[in-house]
Amino acid sequence: MRTAERRTTAGRPLRSGELLPVRQLAVAWALIVLIAALAWVLTVGQARDMGVEPGTMGLALPLFLLLWLAMMAAMMLPSVAPVALTWTRGIARGSRGATRALRTAAFLSGYLLAWTAFGLLAYGGLALTGGLVERHPDAARWIAAAAFALAGLYQLGPLKDICLRHCRSPMAQLMRYAAFRPRLRDLRVGLHHGAYCVGCCWALMVLLVPLGVMNIAAMAGVAALIFLEKLWSRGPLLARVAGVAFLVLAVLALFQDWLLPGLHGSMAPM
C-alpha cells in the first residue's frame, strides 16, 4: 500500500493492475462495463430520434435528467472505473462476490448522483441559451465563443489542476474514507469523488452547448479527452494543450458555423 501511495502522490494515475488481482475484479469490471455499454446504447438511440437542437430540446426537467444520467454513465464510467475498483477491493477487502458488486453499484450511484446534480445547472444553462438564440439568432456565435473560451481558461486554471490531481491520484483520500461510518459509506464515497470529478470536468461539458447535447461525436470526443486526462501518464499536459486549443476555437467560433451545430436550430438526427 505504501508503494501505491508513493506512486499516486507522484502524480501518476491509478493503474488497476498494480493494486488489484485480476481474478477478483471480474464481477466489478463486468458491472461497470455493462452499465457503460447500456448507457451508450440508450444515448445513441435517443440521439438518433432527437437529432441536435439548441436549448433543452423541448424536454421537461425530469426527462432531461434521466437522459443526462444516461449520458454521464456512458461518458464518465470508463474513466472512474479504476477508482471504483480500488475502493471496493483495496479498501473494502471484507466484501466478496455479490456483496462487492452491490458496494460497487453504491459507489457508482453516488458518483452519478453528483453529475445528476450538475445536470440541474446544465438544464438551466441550456434553457437560457436556447431562449436567447431563439430570440436573437446572431447571439449563437457569441455563446459558442464564450463556451469555448470558458472551457479553455478553466483547463489552464489552478482549480482544474487540483481536481485533476485528485482524480488521477485519489489513494490518500480513499484511505480517509475508510473512517466513514459503514451506513451508506460507499454511496458517500462515490458522491464525494464525483464532486471532485465534476470540478475537474464541468467546463468540458459546457462545450456541449455549442456542439449539441445529443451530438454523439462531440460526446465521444469529450469522453475520450476525459479518459486520457485521468489515466494517461501525460494527462495533465494533454489538459493544458486542450485548453489552448479551446481558446483558438473560441476565436474561430465567431466566424465558423460548423463549430456551433447545437445552436443552429433543428438538425438531422446524428
Side-chain angles (χ1 to χ4, degrees):
M1 188 66 71
R2 292 180 181 176
T3 301
E5 289 183 31
R6 284 198 298 270
R7 289 175 176 173
T8 55
T9 53
R12 292 177 55 189
L14 276 174
R15 294 184 179 181
S16 60
E18 295 177 354
L19 296 172
L20 311 174
V22 175
R23 293 178 61 184
Q24 298 184 25
L25 289 176
V27 174
W29 266 118
L31 176 65
I32 294 174
V33 170
L34 178 62
I35 294 175
L38 291 176
W40 272 113
V41 170
L42 176 61
T43 301
V44 171
Q46 288 297 317
R48 287 177 176 174
D49 294 336
M50 298 174 63
V52 179
E53 298 182 19
T56 61
M57 300 163 290
L59 297 175
L61 178 58
L63 185 57
F64 174 85
L65 289 179
L66 286 175
L67 183 58
W68 179 265
L69 178 61
M71 289 172 53
M72 293 303 100
M75 296 173 66
M76 306 304 299
L77 289 189
S79 63
V80 79
V83 178
L85 298 175
T86 299
W87 171 253
T88 56
R89 177 65 182 92
I91 304 300
R93 295 182 178 181
S95 59
R96 296 181 179 179
T99 302
R100 180 172 297 158
L102 290 174
R103 298 194 67 172
T104 303
F107 176 94
L108 296 178
S109 296
Y111 178 84
L112 292 175
L113 181 61
W115 276 108
T116 302
F118 179 75
L120 293 171
L121 298 177
Y123 186 83
L126 288 169
L128 178 63
T129 56
L132 186 59
V133 170
E134 183 177 354
R135 294 190 301 270
H136 307 286
D138 292 340
R141 297 181 183 275
W142 296 100
I143 294 173
F148 281 110
L150 176 61
L153 292 173
Y154 190 79
Q155 287 286 107
L156 300 173
L159 186 56
K160 167 74 177 191
D161 187 57
I162 292 172
C163 293
L164 181 58
R165 285 204 309 267
H166 172 89
C167 290
R168 287 171 58 84
S169 306
M171 182 58 69
Q173 190 64 43
L174 291 178
M175 294 294 291
R176 296 190 189 99
Y177 292 149
F180 282 10
R181 293 182 178 179
R183 185 177 182 181
L184 299 180
R185 177 168 57 187
D186 302 294
L187 182 70
R188 292 172 58 196
V189 173
L191 181 61
H192 194 276
H193 182 69
Y196 270 102
C197 191
V198 171
C200 178
C201 304
W202 69 268
L204 295 176
M205 298 302 170
V206 173
L207 296 176
L208 297 180
V209 173
L211 296 178
V213 174
M214 297 307 296
N215 187 331
I216 295 298
M219 281 191 284
V222 171
L225 176 58
I226 291 171
F227 184 86
L228 291 174
E229 281 185 356
K230 292 184 178 182
L231 300 180
W232 189 30
S233 60
R234 297 185 179 180
L237 175 60
L238 176 63
R240 291 189 288 272
V241 171
V244 174
F246 294 151
L247 293 178
V248 174
L249 292 176
V251 178
L252 292 178
L254 295 173
F255 309 99
Q256 302 293 328
D257 288 344
W258 62 271
L259 285 172
L260 43 152
L263 294 171
H264 268 331
S266 180
M267 297 179 63
M270 300 297 294

